[in-house]
Each structure stands twice: as C-alpha cells, then as structure tokens.
Amino acid sequence: MLMTIERRSTTRTLRGWAIHVLQEAGAIRECEEHGWMQDRADPHARERAFDIARRDPPSDVSRQAAEAAVRDVLDSIGDTCPECLPDEEDRH
C-alpha cells in the first residue's frame, strides 16, 4: 500500500524560519570562526527578506507575524561578531 507522509519542516520555530529567510536573502551571515549571526547592513537584501516573509509565510502564520519575526531577528543581531578581535585599524 502506498502511503504519503507529510514532510516535517526543518525549521521548527518562527525565529528559526526568519533566520533562514534572512540568510537566503543575504541579509545576514554567520561568523565562520564562532557561528554568531551578523547583519550585513544590505538594504536590498533586507527588502528581499521582507518580500519573502510577506509572500510566503509559514503555514498558520500571518504575513504580519512573519514580517515581525524577520524584523525581530534583525533587531537582535549586530554587524560584528562579539568574539572576534577588532581589526588592528579599529584599535587606533
């Protein structure tokens, strides 16, 4: 007997979904050495992420809630890794 099983989403939280959207849009990146998320400060990438959130929110999540989740993630991360040493130029 052929049975179909609904695939479970790899992202289990709305915040996780928002991080994934921001990464796919190129609005954030991960520090290669420490794994912290960093804001790339690219306005075009941010707008792409918001467009994705409005156009294709997770099931059972409103467009407004999806957009708010993306905004919350952006507001919670900085543009530098807190564990990386500042560049030599920044110390002077």
Side-chain angles (χ1 to χ4, degrees):
M1 173 188 335
L2 179 63
M3 294 178 55
T4 59
I5 299 173
E6 185 176 331
R7 291 183 57 165
R8 181 175 227 178
S9 172
T10 57
T11 306
R12 296 181 184 204
T13 66
L14 185 55
R15 180 175 172 78
W17 172 85
I19 290 170
H20 176 75
V21 167
L22 287 161
Q23 286 177 317
E24 290 296 312
I28 62 174
R29 67 173 174 250
E30 186 175 328
C31 170
E32 293 177 9
E33 192 171 336
H34 303 106
W36 288 90
M37 289 293 126
Q38 298 171 299
D39 187 345
R40 293 189 56 237
D42 179 346
H44 300 291
R46 285 177 171 214
E47 191 54 40
R48 281 193 301 272
F50 284 116
D51 286 343
I52 292 168
R54 288 184 212 107
R55 186 181 65 242
D56 192 21
S59 60
D60 299 330
V61 175
S62 71
R63 292 178 187 186
Q64 295 82 7
E67 188 175 348
V70 169
R71 184 170 286 107
D72 288 346
V73 170
L74 282 172
D75 290 344
S76 71
I77 60 175
D79 59 353
T80 59
C81 172
E83 292 185 47
C84 287
L85 294 175
D87 290 337
E88 191 66 33
E89 298 171 8
D90 293 341
R91 289 188 222 166
H92 299 288

